[in-house]
């Protein structure tokens, strides 16, 4: 962990170097992934089954890839009633939040001779990628499937690798609760390729969302355009802005909740109170010892943990807007005073009782957020990601007569006569 | 042009093969473009000026790249008053339509102890790419700049190459009318790189939109993630659905307005009336002779023009939804009857008096539309492309007490103890 002063000469460059993490997948990964995609695209199920045998050590034919009704029932039987209730609670709250994002089709009638509008249509079929194995996250299933369901997507296909044949029961239960229609036990670049192009068994989807390792992320990037994808996620990060108020123990816990995700995760505190910063540093050290995932959290904190002291809240806010954090905690006395000044952040956690973990699971907003500074231009995953729009244009003859001369004029400027003629033919006589 | 019957054996495959056009840029183009990006990224203005000299034959230093006030004044002086009025009219109508797309930030107050919301923030600075040279399109400037302006973007930077030093006055006038703040005479991959990474002279932007050749499109794809981009556009296309009503001469003109764009453009008519289809075919031949851009339009029509006869309107609609056309004309008696059945289309032109050209210039909706079947998941360029969202979460202590146990429970399922502790610490007295 580095303790920096925002007034230090070259602070911006120093900070940037500090939190600089992996860029892009290399060309090598890209070539391997492109090879897998080409195989699945040309040979379909045959290639998909081969790769699944090879990478996941699962011996089955294409028909055996789909999770059966019996497997779902076993999963429900295996899950503790209290856990089931918690997952239901999460689905319900996430649903309620995303309902508010729904947009309606509209048609303007303010002109009597021209009507214009926008038709909102759910994507027909989407694919959700869920990482498999032991570290399976039912919350990922919920955060991807619920917005799709709320958007009105007719068929939600989930893929999750089942290394050695095992699927996490919480993930299966979450899939059912969140409205997933079919689940296939496939993963990696081969699963992304199957969703993008379709095979005999796996239906082609219109968009693929959900997190994955570098092979999955690269595959999504390579099929983009053939199918829609959500943003390409990098390592996760948190920035906490503090004014000296609140409890260092809480802030330390929040920083560590980020650090325990991944050795590449980054946790940063900027405070106007040097003493508060020092107490947080001490608390982090103390709490690290108590964590089961201490090794990961320590690596992350040592490599990418930073505590910064700034003179003023303005400096802290301007710093935050420059780095555009994925998670931003406003751990200050009056968070709503600051809210309008925040221009770049994936999610904003207000005040002393809104830890990031609340947003990760069940507050309601999506936990799929733009990372690595991309909150400058990307938004959280939302219902918007599962609909597309079509413009609607309707001219009467009178409407075309009213504005037609200017259409012809601009077509003329652009040297596109056939454009002009398609209008003028309709206006003659 | 091919005249097909939808009942022919293997129709779908035959049609797909027929309209199949270029896929992706090759690896070669990608390597050239990556080289240019790397140079501009590491050497800034120096490299930018070198490439501009080389590719656009413009001799000037970095300071000379920006269009001056005097140049804008010359452009206004050079433009005919009627043309200026037509461009103003277009800006005004496009503005009025896009105003309706604006979304508000919101905060829910339905729970007394937890408030959730979404903050909508305009991107701070965007870059608009406008192809240069003789074939300059002021409508492109309007369609890209107006949504950004309406969204509230503070600084709109336009780049347009000026081969041999010349810039089209209509493009400069359109830029001013549409609210562009600064214009630079640069183009190609080097302009995209400069916008994505910034140089001493060109400010870094948060998103790059606008059409360009294969080098520009490849550059946008390669900088995606560093900066936002709009969709990657392929060759343009139109599909006309007809029920035998209307005038074959009009439909032929519409098909040709698409064909004149580009030799790779595709124009397709599907009609339930064979005789109508035949009359359109004859009309296209007749009109082709009258077009200044006959060579381009003829090449496009011969290679990618198709007239299809279907037995029923249902078949025609289902075909249209399968191919997800960029432009869809419903040249039928009752277009509103069909509208709800259209699931995939960039823009829908309703009835016999709404030629595609109306939408290209000044009806109001954007003319930047998803091509090549991507209307399955992409939307027209809109105000949404120039804002991003941040989730807002605010818990009181009571709110966290109310739902905290379930957060802890799910964190437990996922094996993330630091997450659980960030909640439970706050609940212990």
């Amino acid at each position: 962990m580095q303790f920096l002063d925002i007034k230090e000469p070259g602070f911006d460059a120093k900070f940037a170097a500090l939190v600089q993490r992996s860029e892009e997948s290399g060309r090598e990964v890209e070539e391997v992934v492109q090879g897998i995609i080409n195989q699945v695209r040309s040979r379909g199920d045959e290639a998909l089954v081969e790769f699944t045998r090879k990478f996941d050590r699962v011996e089955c034919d294409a028909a055996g890839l789909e999770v059966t009704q019996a497997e779902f029932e076993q999963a429900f039987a295996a899950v503790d009633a209290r856990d089931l209730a918690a997952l239901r609670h999460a689905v319900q709250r996430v649903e309620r939040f995303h309902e508010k994002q729904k947009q309606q089709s509209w048609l303007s009638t303010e002109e009597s001779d021209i009507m214009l509008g926008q038709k909102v249509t759910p994507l027909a079929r989407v694919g959700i990628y869920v990482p498999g194995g032991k570290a399976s996250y039912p919350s990922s299933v919920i955060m991807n499937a619920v917005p799709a369901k709320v958007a009105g997507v007719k068929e939600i296909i989930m893929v999750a690798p089942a290394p050695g044949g095992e699927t996490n029961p919480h993930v299966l239960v979450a899939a059912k609760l969140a409205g997933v229609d079919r689940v296939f036990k496939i993963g990696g670049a081969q699963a992304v390729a199957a969703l993008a192009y379709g095979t005999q068994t796996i239906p082609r989807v219109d968009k693929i969302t959900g997190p994955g390792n570098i092979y999955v992320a690269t595959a999504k990037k390579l099929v983009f355009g053939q199918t829609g994808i959500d943003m390409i996620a990098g390592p996760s990060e948190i920035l906490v802005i503090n004014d000296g108020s609140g409890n260092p123990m809480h802030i330390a816990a929040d920083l560590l909740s980020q650090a325990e995700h991944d050795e590449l995760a980054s946790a940063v505190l900027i405070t106007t109170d040097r003493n508060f910063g020092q107490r947080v540093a001490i608390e982090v050290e103390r709490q690290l010892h108590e964590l089961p995932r201490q090794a990961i959290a320590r690596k992350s904190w040592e490599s990418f943990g930073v505590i910064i002291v700034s003179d003023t809240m303005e400096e802290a806010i301007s710093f935050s807007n420059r780095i555009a954090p994925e998670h931003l905690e406003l751990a200050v006395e009056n968070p709503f005073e600051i809210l309008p000044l925040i221009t770049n952040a994936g999610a904003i956690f207000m005040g002393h009782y809104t830890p990031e973990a609340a947003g990760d699971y069940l507050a309601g907003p999506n936990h799929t957020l733009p990372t690595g500074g991309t909150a400058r231009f990307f938004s959280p995953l939302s219902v918007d990601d599962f609909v597309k729009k079509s413009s609607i244009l309707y001219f009467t003859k009178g409407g075309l007569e009213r504005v037609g001369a200017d259409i012809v004029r601009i077509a003329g400027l652009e040297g596109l006569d056939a454009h002009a003629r398609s209008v003028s033919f309709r206006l003659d006589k």
Side-chain angles (χ1 to χ4, degrees), chain A:
Chain A
M1 187 271 294
Q2 298 277 312
F3 205 105
L4 301 179
D5 196 304
I6 204 167
K7 281 285 193 295
E8 285 177 41
F11 167 81
D12 268 358
K14 203 177 288 178
F15 179 80
L18 209 59
V19 298
Q20 175 64 44
R21 288 160 293 169
S22 68
E23 254 207 31
E24 306 290 296
S25 56
R27 178 137 285 185
E28 266 170 70
V29 171
E30 218 167 285
E31 272 168 23
V32 170
V33 169
Q34 189 65 62
I36 293 173
I37 293 173
N38 295 346
Q39 288 290 313
V40 173
R41 188 177 176 184
S42 60
R43 296 197 296 124
D45 276 352
E46 197 180 75
L48 181 62
V49 166
E50 279 172 23
F51 287 122
T52 303
R53 283 188 183 155
K54 181 170 167 192
F55 296 124
D56 298 336
R57 308 172 313 284
V58 176
E59 290 297 327
C60 73
D61 55 10
L65 294 176
E66 185 162 3
V67 172
T68 63
Q69 191 49 36
E71 288 175 280
F72 277 116
E73 283 163 16
Q74 281 162 27
F76 271 87
V79 169
D80 182 288
R82 283 286 294 112
D83 290 336
L84 191 62
L87 291 172
R88 266 191 221 286
H89 188 193
V91 168
Q92 189 190 51
R93 291 194 62 96
V94 172
E95 238 168 39
R96 203 196 302 163
F97 181 85
H98 286 80
E99 282 287 348
K100 294 184 209 292
Q101 293 176 330
K102 283 183 82 167
Q103 292 181 54
Q104 301 301 316
S105 298
W106 53 265
L107 189 68
S108 75
T109 52
E110 65 203 30
E111 297 172 288
S112 60
D113 51 4
I114 298 175
M115 289 195 290
L116 303 169
Q118 193 168 276
K119 181 178 191 293
V120 181
T121 314
L123 304 193
R125 190 193 284 133
V126 304
I128 291 174
Y129 190 95
V130 176
K134 278 172 213 144
S136 281
Y137 296 125
S139 62
S140 267
V141 177
I142 295 172
M143 293 295 180
N144 281 275
V146 169
K149 194 78 187 167
V150 169
V153 171
K154 284 206 196 65
E155 194 174 7
I156 303 173
I157 309 285
M158 184 175 119
V159 297
E166 271 183 79
T167 307
N168 178 312
H170 299 116
V171 161
L172 289 185
V173 163
K176 267 289 175 226
L177 297 179
V180 169
D181 296 287
R182 302 175 71 182
V183 179
F184 293 94
K185 291 178 278 188
I186 54 175
Q190 62 273 19
V192 173
L195 290 170
Y197 292 98
T199 70
Q200 298 86 331
T201 302
I202 313 296
R204 181 185 82 156
V205 302
D206 298 313
K207 188 163 190 165
I208 303 170
T209 71
N213 62 20
I214 186 74
Y215 292 94
V216 172
T218 303
K220 280 169 65 180
K221 204 171 150 179
L222 290 175
V223 300
F224 178 54
Q226 161 65 24
T227 186
I229 61 168
D230 58 350
M231 68 203 101
I232 295 163
S236 192
E237 77 243 358
I238 190 173
L239 172 70
V240 181
I241 296 183
N242 173 267
D243 59 0
S245 70
N247 188 335
M249 180 185 170
H250 297 171
I251 305 299
D254 297 351
L255 294 171
L256 287 171
S257 76
Q258 191 57 46
E260 77 171 339
H261 265 300
D262 174 353
E263 292 177 358
L264 289 176
S266 154
V268 179
L269 165 67
I270 184 163
T271 177
T272 51
D273 181 337
R274 178 176 305 270
N275 181 260
F276 189 95
Q278 283 158 345
R279 288 165 63 205
V280 169
I282 293 164
E283 260 299 320
V284 168
E285 281 307 323
R286 193 186 62 74
Q287 293 182 27
L288 263 173
H289 291 284
E290 304 168 1
L291 291 182
R293 293 168 69 91
Q294 177 180 174
I296 293 170
R298 185 176 294 280
K299 187 84 194 294
S300 151
W301 180 244
E302 280 172 3
S303 313
F304 306 113
V306 191
I307 296 179
I308 303 163
V309 179
S310 72
D311 285 346
T312 65
M313 194 44 66
E314 289 65 43
E315 273 174 346
I317 293 166
S318 141
F319 168 76
S320 174
N321 286 337
R322 280 204 302 285
I323 67 162
E326 180 190 12
H327 304 96
L328 172 62
E329 286 189 7
L330 302 182
V332 298
E333 203 63 56
N334 285 311
F336 282 92
E337 208 172 87
I338 293 179
L339 181 63
L341 305 174
I342 302 299
T343 55
N344 297 324
I348 308 168
F349 300 81
M350 314 279 293
H352 293 302
Y353 285 94
T354 317
E356 184 206 308
D360 287 343
Y361 297 126
L362 60 55
N366 212 283
H367 77 192
T368 310
L369 299 169
T371 57
T374 60
R376 289 190 293 126
F377 47 84
F378 282 145
S379 302
L381 191 71
S382 77
V383 168
D384 296 350
D385 287 292
F386 296 101
V387 301
K388 73 299 176 61
K389 289 156 191 169
S390 306
S391 304
I392 303 169
L393 300 91
Y394 170 74
F395 280 57
T396 62
K397 187 155 193 284
L400 196 61
E401 278 162 358
R402 183 162 60 87
V403 305
D406 281 343
I407 300 174
V408 170
R409 196 95 204 170
I410 303 177
L413 290 183
E414 298 194 345
L416 296 174
D417 290 72
H419 282 62
R421 289 154 58 99
S422 73
V423 173
S424 55
F425 285 177
R426 285 172 163 93
L427 300 182
D428 292 346
K429 344 177 220 65

